[in-house]
PDB file of all heavy atoms in Angstrom:
ATOM      1  N   VAL H   1       7.873   9.394 -14.920  1.00  0.00           N
ATOM      2  CA  VAL H   1       8.842   9.900 -13.939  1.00  0.00           C
ATOM      3  C   VAL H   1       8.332   9.952 -12.515  1.00  0.00           C
ATOM      4  O   VAL H   1       9.074   9.704 -11.577  1.00  0.00           O
ATOM      5  CB  VAL H   1       9.316  11.317 -14.411  1.00  0.00           C
ATOM      6  CG1 VAL H   1      10.279  11.903 -13.426  1.00  0.00           C
ATOM      7  CG2 VAL H   1      10.037  11.223 -15.745  1.00  0.00           C
ATOM      8  N   SER H   2       6.995  10.235 -12.374  1.00  0.00           N
ATOM      9  CA  SER H   2       6.519  10.293 -11.004  1.00  0.00           C
ATOM     10  C   SER H   2       6.716   8.928 -10.307  1.00  0.00           C
ATOM     11  O   SER H   2       6.989   8.921  -9.092  1.00  0.00           O
ATOM     12  CB  SER H   2       5.018  10.671 -11.044  1.00  0.00           C
ATOM     13  OG  SER H   2       4.255   9.757 -11.811  1.00  0.00           O
ATOM     14  N   ARG H   3       6.520   7.825 -10.973  1.00  0.00           N
ATOM     15  CA  ARG H   3       6.675   6.542 -10.348  1.00  0.00           C
ATOM     16  C   ARG H   3       8.126   6.152 -10.151  1.00  0.00           C
ATOM     17  O   ARG H   3       8.432   5.272  -9.351  1.00  0.00           O
ATOM     18  CB  ARG H   3       5.886   5.484 -11.111  1.00  0.00           C
ATOM     19  CG  ARG H   3       4.405   5.744 -11.149  1.00  0.00           C
ATOM     20  CD  ARG H   3       3.654   4.596 -11.797  1.00  0.00           C
ATOM     21  NE  ARG H   3       2.176   4.921 -11.830  1.00  0.00           N
ATOM     22  CZ  ARG H   3       1.276   4.128 -12.178  1.00  0.00           C
ATOM     23  NH1 ARG H   3       1.571   2.901 -12.570  1.00  0.00           N
ATOM     24  NH2 ARG H   3      -0.030   4.465 -12.244  1.00  0.00           N
ATOM     25  N   LEU H   4       9.014   6.773 -10.876  1.00  0.00           N
ATOM     26  CA  LEU H   4      10.460   6.541 -10.643  1.00  0.00           C
ATOM     27  C   LEU H   4      10.847   6.974  -9.244  1.00  0.00           C
ATOM     28  O   LEU H   4      11.855   6.466  -8.693  1.00  0.00           O
ATOM     29  CB  LEU H   4      11.332   7.233 -11.657  1.00  0.00           C
ATOM     30  CG  LEU H   4      11.427   6.641 -13.084  1.00  0.00           C
ATOM     31  CD1 LEU H   4      12.181   7.561 -14.009  1.00  0.00           C
ATOM     32  CD2 LEU H   4      12.038   5.267 -13.050  1.00  0.00           C
ATOM     33  N   GLN H   5      10.146   7.932  -8.672  1.00  0.00           N
ATOM     34  CA  GLN H   5      10.489   8.394  -7.365  1.00  0.00           C
ATOM     35  C   GLN H   5      10.170   7.423  -6.279  1.00  0.00           C
ATOM     36  O   GLN H   5      10.725   7.488  -5.135  1.00  0.00           O
ATOM     37  CB  GLN H   5       9.711   9.688  -7.094  1.00  0.00           C
ATOM     38  CG  GLN H   5       9.921  10.808  -8.133  1.00  0.00           C
ATOM     39  CD  GLN H   5      11.373  11.203  -8.259  1.00  0.00           C
ATOM     40  OE1 GLN H   5      12.109  11.338  -7.294  1.00  0.00           O
ATOM     41  NE2 GLN H   5      11.797  11.397  -9.536  1.00  0.00           N
ATOM     42  N   VAL H   6       9.297   6.475  -6.569  1.00  0.00           N
ATOM     43  CA  VAL H   6       8.932   5.430  -5.555  1.00  0.00           C
ATOM     44  C   VAL H   6      10.070   4.537  -5.278  1.00  0.00           C
ATOM     45  O   VAL H   6      10.585   3.813  -6.189  1.00  0.00           O
ATOM     46  CB  VAL H   6       7.671   4.635  -6.035  1.00  0.00           C
ATOM     47  CG1 VAL H   6       7.366   3.554  -4.972  1.00  0.00           C
ATOM     48  CG2 VAL H   6       6.541   5.581  -6.283  1.00  0.00           C
ATOM     49  N   GLY H   7      10.523   4.459  -4.070  1.00  0.00           N
ATOM     50  CA  GLY H   7      11.622   3.594  -3.701  1.00  0.00           C
ATOM     51  C   GLY H   7      13.015   4.197  -4.015  1.00  0.00           C
ATOM     52  O   GLY H   7      14.024   3.536  -3.820  1.00  0.00           O
ATOM     53  N   ALA H   8      13.081   5.441  -4.499  1.00  0.00           N
ATOM     54  CA  ALA H   8      14.396   6.061  -4.881  1.00  0.00           C
ATOM     55  C   ALA H   8      15.055   6.650  -3.692  1.00  0.00           C
ATOM     56  O   ALA H   8      16.195   7.110  -3.753  1.00  0.00           O
ATOM     57  CB  ALA H   8      14.169   7.107  -5.934  1.00  0.00           C
ATOM     58  N   PHE H   9      14.398   6.683  -2.526  1.00  0.00           N
ATOM     59  CA  PHE H   9      14.969   7.264  -1.284  1.00  0.00           C
ATOM     60  C   PHE H   9      15.546   8.657  -1.494  1.00  0.00           C
ATOM     61  O   PHE H   9      16.618   8.988  -0.947  1.00  0.00           O
ATOM     62  CB  PHE H   9      16.056   6.312  -0.691  1.00  0.00           C
ATOM     63  CG  PHE H   9      15.439   5.220   0.188  1.00  0.00           C
ATOM     64  CD1 PHE H   9      14.957   4.036  -0.328  1.00  0.00           C
ATOM     65  CD2 PHE H   9      15.336   5.455   1.547  1.00  0.00           C
ATOM     66  CE1 PHE H   9      14.438   3.033   0.440  1.00  0.00           C
ATOM     67  CE2 PHE H   9      14.804   4.452   2.355  1.00  0.00           C
ATOM     68  CZ  PHE H   9      14.289   3.266   1.815  1.00  0.00           C
ATOM     69  N   GLY H  10      14.854   9.427  -2.317  1.00  0.00           N
ATOM     70  CA  GLY H  10      15.299  10.839  -2.492  1.00  0.00           C
ATOM     71  C   GLY H  10      16.494  11.080  -3.345  1.00  0.00           C
ATOM     72  O   GLY H  10      16.950  12.206  -3.511  1.00  0.00           O
ATOM     73  N   THR H  11      17.038  10.053  -4.044  1.00  0.00           N
ATOM     74  CA  THR H  11      18.178  10.246  -4.895  1.00  0.00           C
ATOM     75  C   THR H  11      17.888  10.804  -6.212  1.00  0.00           C
ATOM     76  O   THR H  11      18.747  11.172  -6.981  1.00  0.00           O
ATOM     77  CB  THR H  11      18.938   8.881  -5.039  1.00  0.00           C
ATOM     78  OG1 THR H  11      18.084   7.926  -5.628  1.00  0.00           O
ATOM     79  CG2 THR H  11      19.451   8.353  -3.701  1.00  0.00           C
ATOM     80  N   LEU H  12      16.564  10.813  -6.607  1.00  0.00           N
ATOM     81  CA  LEU H  12      16.210  11.324  -7.915  1.00  0.00           C
ATOM     82  C   LEU H  12      15.424  12.643  -7.813  1.00  0.00           C
ATOM     83  O   LEU H  12      14.867  13.119  -8.768  1.00  0.00           O
ATOM     84  CB  LEU H  12      15.346  10.354  -8.673  1.00  0.00           C
ATOM     85  CG  LEU H  12      15.991   9.037  -9.011  1.00  0.00           C
ATOM     86  CD1 LEU H  12      15.078   8.107  -9.807  1.00  0.00           C
ATOM     87  CD2 LEU H  12      17.295   9.238  -9.836  1.00  0.00           C
ATOM     88  N   GLY H  13      15.407  13.246  -6.622  1.00  0.00           N
ATOM     89  CA  GLY H  13      14.699  14.504  -6.456  1.00  0.00           C
ATOM     90  C   GLY H  13      14.162  14.638  -5.033  1.00  0.00           C
ATOM     91  O   GLY H  13      13.837  13.686  -4.363  1.00  0.00           O
ATOM     92  N   LEU H  14      14.045  15.889  -4.628  1.00  0.00           N
ATOM     93  CA  LEU H  14      13.467  16.228  -3.299  1.00  0.00           C
ATOM     94  C   LEU H  14      11.956  16.331  -3.574  1.00  0.00           C
ATOM     95  O   LEU H  14      11.508  17.299  -4.221  1.00  0.00           O
ATOM     96  CB  LEU H  14      14.020  17.529  -2.794  1.00  0.00           C
ATOM     97  CG  LEU H  14      13.312  18.132  -1.589  1.00  0.00           C
ATOM     98  CD1 LEU H  14      13.410  17.240  -0.376  1.00  0.00           C
ATOM     99  CD2 LEU H  14      13.861  19.522  -1.254  1.00  0.00           C
ATOM    100  N   LEU H  15      11.177  15.387  -3.089  1.00  0.00           N
ATOM    101  CA  LEU H  15       9.737  15.453  -3.276  1.00  0.00           C
ATOM    102  C   LEU H  15       9.116  16.596  -2.554  1.00  0.00           C
ATOM    103  O   LEU H  15       9.377  16.852  -1.360  1.00  0.00           O
ATOM    104  CB  LEU H  15       9.094  14.118  -2.770  1.00  0.00           C
ATOM    105  CG  LEU H  15       9.394  12.850  -3.638  1.00  0.00           C
ATOM    106  CD1 LEU H  15       8.921  11.636  -2.913  1.00  0.00           C
ATOM    107  CD2 LEU H  15       8.703  13.015  -4.995  1.00  0.00           C
ATOM    108  N   LEU H  16       8.281  17.372  -3.275  1.00  0.00           N
ATOM    109  CA  LEU H  16       7.590  18.521  -2.711  1.00  0.00           C
ATOM    110  C   LEU H  16       6.120  18.259  -2.515  1.00  0.00           C
ATOM    111  O   LEU H  16       5.539  18.602  -1.478  1.00  0.00           O
ATOM    112  CB  LEU H  16       7.778  19.746  -3.602  1.00  0.00           C
ATOM    113  CG  LEU H  16       9.201  20.204  -3.815  1.00  0.00           C
ATOM    114  CD1 LEU H  16       9.282  21.319  -4.843  1.00  0.00           C
ATOM    115  CD2 LEU H  16       9.842  20.641  -2.467  1.00  0.00           C
ATOM    116  N   SER H  17       5.447  17.596  -3.441  1.00  0.00           N
ATOM    117  CA  SER H  17       4.099  17.189  -3.244  1.00  0.00           C
ATOM    118  C   SER H  17       3.801  15.959  -4.134  1.00  0.00           C
ATOM    119  O   SER H  17       4.501  15.650  -5.121  1.00  0.00           O
ATOM    120  CB  SER H  17       3.111  18.315  -3.681  1.00  0.00           C
ATOM    121  OG  SER H  17       3.227  18.585  -5.063  1.00  0.00           O
ATOM    122  N   ILE H  18       2.750  15.221  -3.718  1.00  0.00           N
ATOM    123  CA  ILE H  18       2.427  13.978  -4.375  1.00  0.00           C
ATOM    124  C   ILE H  18       0.946  13.885  -4.523  1.00  0.00           C
ATOM    125  O   ILE H  18       0.198  14.240  -3.571  1.00  0.00           O
ATOM    126  CB  ILE H  18       2.945  12.728  -3.580  1.00  0.00           C
ATOM    127  CG1 ILE H  18       4.468  12.826  -3.261  1.00  0.00           C
ATOM    128  CG2 ILE H  18       2.592  11.487  -4.299  1.00  0.00           C
ATOM    129  CD1 ILE H  18       4.786  13.311  -1.908  1.00  0.00           C
ATOM    130  N   SER H  19       0.473  13.426  -5.664  1.00  0.00           N
ATOM    131  CA  SER H  19      -0.906  13.120  -5.899  1.00  0.00           C
ATOM    132  C   SER H  19      -1.061  11.587  -5.908  1.00  0.00           C
ATOM    133  O   SER H  19      -0.328  10.936  -6.624  1.00  0.00           O
ATOM    134  CB  SER H  19      -1.424  13.678  -7.268  1.00  0.00           C
ATOM    135  OG  SER H  19      -1.395  15.084  -7.244  1.00  0.00           O
ATOM    136  N   VAL H  20      -2.008  11.077  -5.095  1.00  0.00           N
ATOM    137  CA  VAL H  20      -2.171   9.644  -5.038  1.00  0.00           C
ATOM    138  C   VAL H  20      -3.689   9.323  -5.211  1.00  0.00           C
ATOM    139  O   VAL H  20      -4.539  10.106  -4.868  1.00  0.00           O
ATOM    140  CB  VAL H  20      -1.703   9.046  -3.738  1.00  0.00           C
ATOM    141  CG1 VAL H  20      -0.196   9.201  -3.582  1.00  0.00           C
ATOM    142  CG2 VAL H  20      -2.384   9.721  -2.510  1.00  0.00           C
ATOM    143  N   ARG H  21      -3.924   8.108  -5.787  1.00  0.00           N
ATOM    144  CA  ARG H  21      -5.279   7.673  -5.925  1.00  0.00           C
ATOM    145  C   ARG H  21      -5.687   6.995  -4.610  1.00  0.00           C
ATOM    146  O   ARG H  21      -4.798   6.443  -3.862  1.00  0.00           O
ATOM    147  CB  ARG H  21      -5.480   6.724  -7.107  1.00  0.00           C
ATOM    148  CG  ARG H  21      -4.846   5.346  -6.894  1.00  0.00           C
ATOM    149  CD  ARG H  21      -5.127   4.461  -8.043  1.00  0.00           C
ATOM    150  NE  ARG H  21      -4.529   3.133  -7.849  1.00  0.00           N
ATOM    151  CZ  ARG H  21      -5.132   2.121  -7.215  1.00  0.00           C
ATOM    152  NH1 ARG H  21      -6.306   2.312  -6.701  1.00  0.00           N
ATOM    153  NH2 ARG H  21      -4.518   0.973  -7.072  1.00  0.00           N
ATOM    154  N   LEU H  22      -6.973   6.979  -4.294  1.00  0.00           N
ATOM    155  CA  LEU H  22      -7.484   6.433  -3.080  1.00  0.00           C
ATOM    156  C   LEU H  22      -8.440   5.265  -3.315  1.00  0.00           C
ATOM    157  O   LEU H  22      -8.801   5.033  -4.542  1.00  0.00           O
ATOM    158  CB  LEU H  22      -8.163   7.531  -2.249  1.00  0.00           C
ATOM    159  CG  LEU H  22      -7.414   8.806  -2.099  1.00  0.00           C
ATOM    160  CD1 LEU H  22      -8.314   9.902  -1.495  1.00  0.00           C
ATOM    161  CD2 LEU H  22      -6.161   8.570  -1.177  1.00  0.00           C
ATOM    162  N   LEU H  23      -8.851   4.633  -2.274  1.00  0.00           N
ATOM    163  CA  LEU H  23      -9.920   3.570  -2.383  1.00  0.00           C
ATOM    164  C   LEU H  23     -10.932   3.794  -1.306  1.00  0.00           C
ATOM    165  O   LEU H  23     -10.612   4.378  -0.211  1.00  0.00           O
ATOM    166  CB  LEU H  23      -9.258   2.215  -2.188  1.00  0.00           C
ATOM    167  CG  LEU H  23      -8.459   1.572  -3.321  1.00  0.00           C
ATOM    168  CD1 LEU H  23      -7.976   0.221  -2.934  1.00  0.00           C
ATOM    169  CD2 LEU H  23      -9.281   1.481  -4.596  1.00  0.00           C
ATOM    170  N   PRO H  24     -12.189   3.454  -1.559  1.00  0.00           N
ATOM    171  CA  PRO H  24     -13.211   3.505  -0.531  1.00  0.00           C
ATOM    172  C   PRO H  24     -12.841   2.547   0.619  1.00  0.00           C
ATOM    173  O   PRO H  24     -12.303   1.476   0.412  1.00  0.00           O
ATOM    174  CB  PRO H  24     -14.448   3.035  -1.215  1.00  0.00           C
ATOM    175  CG  PRO H  24     -14.201   3.219  -2.716  1.00  0.00           C
ATOM    176  CD  PRO H  24     -12.757   2.915  -2.862  1.00  0.00           C
ATOM    177  N   ARG H  25     -13.123   2.982   1.807  1.00  0.00           N
ATOM    178  CA  ARG H  25     -12.884   2.144   3.003  1.00  0.00           C
ATOM    179  C   ARG H  25     -13.920   1.020   2.932  1.00  0.00           C
ATOM    180  O   ARG H  25     -15.135   1.239   2.675  1.00  0.00           O
ATOM    181  CB  ARG H  25     -13.065   2.893   4.300  1.00  0.00           C
ATOM    182  CG  ARG H  25     -12.739   2.138   5.512  1.00  0.00           C
ATOM    183  CD  ARG H  25     -12.688   3.064   6.705  1.00  0.00           C
ATOM    184  NE  ARG H  25     -11.516   3.981   6.634  1.00  0.00           N
ATOM    185  CZ  ARG H  25     -10.303   3.708   7.064  1.00  0.00           C
ATOM    186  NH1 ARG H  25     -10.059   2.488   7.600  1.00  0.00           N
ATOM    187  NH2 ARG H  25      -9.331   4.511   6.937  1.00  0.00           N
ATOM    188  N   PRO H  26     -13.523  -0.261   3.131  1.00  0.00           N
ATOM    189  CA  PRO H  26     -14.465  -1.379   2.998  1.00  0.00           C
ATOM    190  C   PRO H  26     -15.583  -1.255   3.997  1.00  0.00           C
ATOM    191  O   PRO H  26     -15.376  -0.835   5.159  1.00  0.00           O
ATOM    192  CB  PRO H  26     -13.575  -2.616   3.244  1.00  0.00           C
ATOM    193  CG  PRO H  26     -12.323  -2.076   3.931  1.00  0.00           C
ATOM    194  CD  PRO H  26     -12.128  -0.730   3.428  1.00  0.00           C
ATOM    195  N   GLU H  27     -16.714  -1.698   3.585  1.00  0.00           N
ATOM    196  CA  GLU H  27     -17.899  -1.689   4.450  1.00  0.00           C
ATOM    197  C   GLU H  27     -17.715  -2.623   5.637  1.00  0.00           C
ATOM    198  O   GLU H  27     -18.216  -2.326   6.801  1.00  0.00           O
ATOM    199  CB  GLU H  27     -19.168  -2.129   3.608  1.00  0.00           C
ATOM    200  CG  GLU H  27     -20.420  -2.171   4.396  1.00  0.00           C
ATOM    201  CD  GLU H  27     -21.603  -2.740   3.506  1.00  0.00           C
ATOM    202  OE1 GLU H  27     -21.497  -2.512   2.264  1.00  0.00           O
ATOM    203  OE2 GLU H  27     -22.536  -3.336   4.009  1.00  0.00           O
ATOM    204  N   ALA H  28     -17.088  -3.720   5.436  1.00  0.00           N
ATOM    205  CA  ALA H  28     -16.921  -4.733   6.536  1.00  0.00           C
ATOM    206  C   ALA H  28     -15.524  -5.359   6.422  1.00  0.00           C
ATOM    207  O   ALA H  28     -14.882  -5.343   5.354  1.00  0.00           O
ATOM    208  CB  ALA H  28     -17.963  -5.797   6.432  1.00  0.00           C
ATOM    209  N   GLU H  29     -15.062  -5.811   7.541  1.00  0.00           N
ATOM    210  CA  GLU H  29     -13.769  -6.498   7.599  1.00  0.00           C
ATOM    211  C   GLU H  29     -13.784  -7.585   8.625  1.00  0.00           C
ATOM    212  O   GLU H  29     -14.392  -7.431   9.702  1.00  0.00           O
ATOM    213  CB  GLU H  29     -12.670  -5.428   7.928  1.00  0.00           C
ATOM    214  CG  GLU H  29     -11.283  -5.917   7.553  1.00  0.00           C
ATOM    215  CD  GLU H  29     -10.313  -4.743   7.498  1.00  0.00           C
ATOM    216  OE1 GLU H  29      -9.721  -4.364   8.483  1.00  0.00           O
ATOM    217  OE2 GLU H  29     -10.162  -4.152   6.325  1.00  0.00           O
ATOM    218  N   GLN H  30     -13.157  -8.711   8.319  1.00  0.00           N
ATOM    219  CA  GLN H  30     -13.120  -9.813   9.226  1.00  0.00           C
ATOM    220  C   GLN H  30     -11.828 -10.609   9.075  1.00  0.00           C
ATOM    221  O   GLN H  30     -11.311 -10.701   7.987  1.00  0.00           O
ATOM    222  CB  GLN H  30     -14.338 -10.748   8.958  1.00  0.00           C
ATOM    223  CG  GLN H  30     -14.546 -11.799  10.001  1.00  0.00           C
ATOM    224  CD  GLN H  30     -15.846 -12.597   9.743  1.00  0.00           C
ATOM    225  OE1 GLN H  30     -15.886 -13.808  10.043  1.00  0.00           O
ATOM    226  NE2 GLN H  30     -16.848 -12.005   9.122  1.00  0.00           N
ATOM    227  N   THR H  31     -11.315 -11.162  10.164  1.00  0.00           N
ATOM    228  CA  THR H  31     -10.085 -11.959  10.121  1.00  0.00           C
ATOM    229  C   THR H  31     -10.384 -13.332  10.555  1.00  0.00           C
ATOM    230  O   THR H  31     -11.075 -13.596  11.607  1.00  0.00           O
ATOM    231  CB  THR H  31      -9.010 -11.351  11.012  1.00  0.00           C
ATOM    232  OG1 THR H  31      -8.694 -10.024  10.584  1.00  0.00           O
ATOM    233  CG2 THR H  31      -7.720 -12.148  11.008  1.00  0.00           C
ATOM    234  N   ARG H  32      -9.868 -14.337   9.797  1.00  0.00           N
ATOM    235  CA  ARG H  32     -10.011 -15.762  10.140  1.00  0.00           C
ATOM    236  C   ARG H  32      -8.617 -16.265  10.402  1.00  0.00           C
ATOM    237  O   ARG H  32      -7.629 -15.871   9.818  1.00  0.00           O
ATOM    238  CB  ARG H  32     -10.650 -16.530   8.942  1.00  0.00           C
ATOM    239  CG  ARG H  32     -11.944 -15.906   8.366  1.00  0.00           C
ATOM    240  CD  ARG H  32     -13.026 -15.796   9.411  1.00  0.00           C
ATOM    241  NE  ARG H  32     -13.472 -17.083   9.911  1.00  0.00           N
ATOM    242  CZ  ARG H  32     -14.474 -17.297  10.744  1.00  0.00           C
ATOM    243  NH1 ARG H  32     -15.071 -16.213  11.296  1.00  0.00           N
ATOM    244  NH2 ARG H  32     -14.841 -18.484  11.116  1.00  0.00           N
ATOM    245  N   VAL H  33      -8.584 -17.241  11.323  1.00  0.00           N
ATOM    246  CA  VAL H  33      -7.314 -17.821  11.759  1.00  0.00           C
ATOM    247  C   VAL H  33      -7.308 -19.341  11.566  1.00  0.00           C
ATOM    248  O   VAL H  33      -8.341 -20.001  11.886  1.00  0.00           O
ATOM    249  CB  VAL H  33      -6.998 -17.484  13.224  1.00  0.00           C
ATOM    250  CG1 VAL H  33      -5.560 -17.970  13.623  1.00  0.00           C
ATOM    251  CG2 VAL H  33      -7.114 -15.994  13.487  1.00  0.00           C
ATOM    252  N   PHE H  34      -6.173 -19.887  11.052  1.00  0.00           N
ATOM    253  CA  PHE H  34      -6.098 -21.283  10.802  1.00  0.00           C
ATOM    254  C   PHE H  34      -4.787 -21.838  11.405  1.00  0.00           C
ATOM    255  O   PHE H  34      -3.755 -21.183  11.327  1.00  0.00           O
ATOM    256  CB  PHE H  34      -6.068 -21.580   9.308  1.00  0.00           C
ATOM    257  CG  PHE H  34      -7.256 -20.995   8.534  1.00  0.00           C
ATOM    258  CD1 PHE H  34      -7.288 -19.653   8.180  1.00  0.00           C
ATOM    259  CD2 PHE H  34      -8.322 -21.783   8.210  1.00  0.00           C
ATOM    260  CE1 PHE H  34      -8.306 -19.077   7.486  1.00  0.00           C
ATOM    261  CE2 PHE H  34      -9.388 -21.243   7.552  1.00  0.00           C
ATOM    262  CZ  PHE H  34      -9.420 -19.859   7.176  1.00  0.00           C
ATOM    263  N   GLU H  35      -4.828 -23.046  12.002  1.00  0.00           N
ATOM    264  CA  GLU H  35      -3.658 -23.675  12.471  1.00  0.00           C
ATOM    265  C   GLU H  35      -3.061 -24.508  11.343  1.00  0.00           C
ATOM    266  O   GLU H  35      -3.555 -25.593  10.924  1.00  0.00           O
ATOM    267  CB  GLU H  35      -4.035 -24.614  13.707  1.00  0.00           C
ATOM    268  CG  GLU H  35      -4.716 -23.901  14.854  1.00  0.00           C
ATOM    269  CD  GLU H  35      -3.703 -23.036  15.647  1.00  0.00           C
ATOM    270  OE1 GLU H  35      -2.445 -23.328  15.534  1.00  0.00           O
ATOM    271  OE2 GLU H  35      -4.139 -22.131  16.317  1.00  0.00           O
ATOM    272  N   LEU H  36      -1.914 -24.006  10.749  1.00  0.00           N
ATOM    273  CA  LEU H  36      -1.311 -24.641   9.629  1.00  0.00           C
ATOM    274  C   LEU H  36       0.171 -24.444   9.630  1.00  0.00           C
ATOM    275  O   LEU H  36       0.697 -23.473  10.186  1.00  0.00           O
ATOM    276  CB  LEU H  36      -1.862 -24.000   8.308  1.00  0.00           C
ATOM    277  CG  LEU H  36      -3.381 -24.095   7.978  1.00  0.00           C
ATOM    278  CD1 LEU H  36      -3.720 -23.123   6.852  1.00  0.00           C
ATOM    279  CD2 LEU H  36      -3.766 -25.530   7.650  1.00  0.00           C
ATOM    280  N   THR H  37       0.875 -25.407   8.999  1.00  0.00           N
ATOM    281  CA  THR H  37       2.333 -25.213   8.783  1.00  0.00           C
ATOM    282  C   THR H  37       2.512 -24.132   7.659  1.00  0.00           C
ATOM    283  O   THR H  37       1.524 -23.809   7.002  1.00  0.00           O
ATOM    284  CB  THR H  37       3.050 -26.493   8.375  1.00  0.00           C
ATOM    285  OG1 THR H  37       2.523 -26.814   7.054  1.00  0.00           O
ATOM    286  CG2 THR H  37       2.764 -27.597   9.322  1.00  0.00           C
ATOM    287  N   ALA H  38       3.689 -23.625   7.528  1.00  0.00           N
ATOM    288  CA  ALA H  38       3.973 -22.615   6.570  1.00  0.00           C
ATOM    289  C   ALA H  38       3.639 -23.144   5.166  1.00  0.00           C
ATOM    290  O   ALA H  38       2.974 -22.447   4.341  1.00  0.00           O
ATOM    291  CB  ALA H  38       5.432 -22.130   6.631  1.00  0.00           C
ATOM    292  N   SER H  39       4.076 -24.353   4.824  1.00  0.00           N
ATOM    293  CA  SER H  39       3.834 -24.911   3.526  1.00  0.00           C
ATOM    294  C   SER H  39       2.327 -25.130   3.255  1.00  0.00           C
ATOM    295  O   SER H  39       1.837 -24.853   2.171  1.00  0.00           O
ATOM    296  CB  SER H  39       4.565 -26.247   3.362  1.00  0.00           C
ATOM    297  OG  SER H  39       5.946 -26.040   3.423  1.00  0.00           O
TER     298      SER H  39
END
């Protein structure tokens, strides 16, 4: 039932509190760019 609330826009209940799992922040991050068509 807790996951039924996701995307329900409040139609299945007024959310009061939520417990969520977390992830460690990555040690490093980098972005690469390529010149390509969409396909």
Side-chain angles (χ1 to χ4, degrees):
V1 175
S2 57
R3 297 186 182 188
L4 282 176
Q5 305 301 319
V6 178
F9 274 87
T11 58
L12 298 181
L14 170 64
L15 289 171
L16 299 174
S17 66
I18 304 102
S19 295
V20 295
R21 72 174 181 90
L22 310 170
L23 286 179
R25 186 170 291 274
E27 177 184 334
E29 198 162 88
Q30 191 175 147
T31 299
R32 311 299 294 182
V33 186
F34 305 82
E35 301 288 338
L36 298 168
T37 66
S39 295

